[in-house]
Amino acid sequence: MTATTTERPDLGPVKRTPAGFTPVTLRRKITDNLALVLVSLALLIALAPLVWLIATLVIRGIDPILSASWWQFDELHGGAFNAIVGTLQQTLLAAVISIPVGIFVAIYLVEYGARSVLARITTFMVDILSGVPSIVAALFIYSVWRTTLGLPRSGFVVALALVLLMIPIVVRSTEEMLKIVPQDLREASYALGVPKWRTIASIVLPTALSGIVTGVMLAVARVMGESAPVLILVGSTRAINNNPFDGNQQSLPLMMVQQYNNGSDSFDQVWGAALTLVILVAVVYFGAKLVSTLFAPKKA
């Protein structure tokens, strides 16, 4: 079959391929299919290391955590219960301090600060703090807490270092979520005579709640596996320390480093601690997403 030519009053003669496409339409379809192939290939490349990582964690770490001794109260028989307790306590303390501070800072930057000098300085400092390595944050807290104040090591000191790592992530994620809340919602609330603080608490924050929770959980996942603060700021212990403000306290990252230093015979416990850490992050994440779904504004 040969290409046909048809007359169109607006375009004049238009050549058509046997399939009925014009040359321009055919070129666009080929380009679109090529872009789809490239994007799909990029997706597979991005997923490959993630799937490989998860598969390796499960294969090499499932045996230790399925044994009853893994959930014992100390590490004498390979247990990790005390490390789990310490990790949760340190992360909880850091979250209790970081989340309110980060959200309030983001509210100021979006709702009150506008283009003020203080807002620009705060944004600059948040950007700087977001690039600070965990070892630098740990050394700073050590210099203030141990060297200057002469106070002892504890899980709370680790939480202070984690706060420095969490706040910029919470601020940035919350700030972006608040910016995408439609301005019409704010103006409608103001038109009804609702004060600004009430508008933020009752309309803006609930609308952006799902995205804020996601950002907070990214921050939690970021700090839960940090090893530098626990290596510098707290000592290990085989006992369960339920008081993070006094004494040494074990954690999963610290346990992983110690077991790795013990040699290849302890690598199973390293993988078990790593898988346990990932499971804890996943449980906290899905729990937070469930809470955000329950309290988010209902769609009509």
Side-chain angles (χ1 to χ4, degrees), residues 265-295:
D265 293 338
S266 301
F267 279 5
D268 287 344
Q269 291 186 339
V270 175
W271 286 106
L275 181 58
T276 304
L277 191 59
V278 171
I279 293 174
L280 290 179
V281 173
V283 169
V284 174
Y285 175 80
F286 286 114
K289 291 295 288 184
L290 177 62
V291 172
S292 67
T293 302
L294 294 176
F295 289 93

Side-chain angles (χ1 to χ4, degrees), residues 48-297:
L50 177 61
V51 174
W52 191 2
L53 172 63
I54 295 176
T56 304
L57 273 176
V58 174
I59 293 173
R60 304 194 63 173
I62 193 66
D63 289 339
I65 68 174
L66 289 180
S67 62
S69 61
W70 184 256
W71 306 102
Q72 291 180 352
F73 293 160
D74 58 59
E75 296 180 16
L76 290 176
H77 302 89
F81 186 79
N82 58 336
I84 295 173
V85 171
T87 299
L88 293 177
Q89 288 184 352
Q90 294 166 14
T91 306
L92 179 61
L93 283 173
V96 167
I97 300 173
S98 303
I99 294 174
V101 173
I103 292 178
F104 286 145
V105 170
I107 291 174
Y108 170 79
L109 294 177
V110 176
E111 305 292 339
Y112 294 98
R115 298 181 179 179
S116 64
V117 176
L118 179 58
R120 290 198 296 269
I121 295 175
T122 303
T123 300
F124 175 76
M125 296 305 297
V126 169
D127 291 339
I128 295 297
L129 192 59
S130 62
V132 172
S134 59
I135 185 68
V136 175
L139 289 175
F140 170 74
I141 296 298
Y142 182 86
S143 65
V144 174
W145 190 266
R146 293 280 293 164
T147 306
T148 304
L149 301 179
L151 298 175
R153 296 181 177 187
S154 65
F156 176 71
V157 188
V158 176
L160 293 180
L162 300 181
V163 166
L164 297 180
L165 303 175
M166 283 189 67
I167 285 181
I169 303 177
V170 176
V171 171
R172 272 303 178 202
S173 59
T174 304
E175 183 181 2
E176 295 302 321
M177 290 302 104
L178 295 179
K179 286 181 179 179
I180 65 176
V181 175
Q183 186 64 26
D184 294 343
L185 294 178
R186 299 178 177 89
E187 294 175 353
S189 179
Y190 299 152
L192 295 175
V194 180
K196 189 168 187 174
W197 71 268
R198 187 68 178 272
T199 299
I200 295 172
S202 302
I203 296 177
V204 177
L205 286 178
T207 303
L209 182 61
S210 179
I212 293 174
V213 169
T214 301
V216 168
M217 294 316 303
L218 288 175
V220 171
R222 160 81 163 81
V223 304
M224 189 174 284
E226 287 292 346
S227 58
V230 295
L231 288 174
I232 296 175
L233 299 173
V234 70
S236 64
T237 176
R238 295 183 182 274
I240 297 178
N241 183 5
N242 290 318
N243 183 8
F245 298 95
D246 182 32
N248 296 327
Q249 189 175 52
Q250 186 70 300
S251 66
L252 287 172
L254 184 58
M255 175 184 174
M256 292 168 62
V257 173
Q258 290 175 331
Q259 296 299 333
Y260 178 81
N261 292 332
N262 289 338
S264 58
D265 293 338
S266 301
F267 279 5
D268 287 344
Q269 291 186 339
V270 175
W271 286 106
L275 181 58
T276 304
L277 191 59
V278 171
I279 293 174
L280 290 179
V281 173
V283 169
V284 174
Y285 175 80
F286 286 114
K289 291 295 288 184
L290 177 62
V291 172
S292 67
T293 302
L294 294 176
F295 289 93

Side-chain angles (χ1 to χ4, degrees), residues 3-17 20-22:
T4 60
T5 302
T6 59
E7 292 284 343
R8 289 183 55 182
D10 53 344
L11 299 177
V14 178
K15 291 184 178 181
R16 294 186 178 277
T17 63
F21 294 105
T22 64

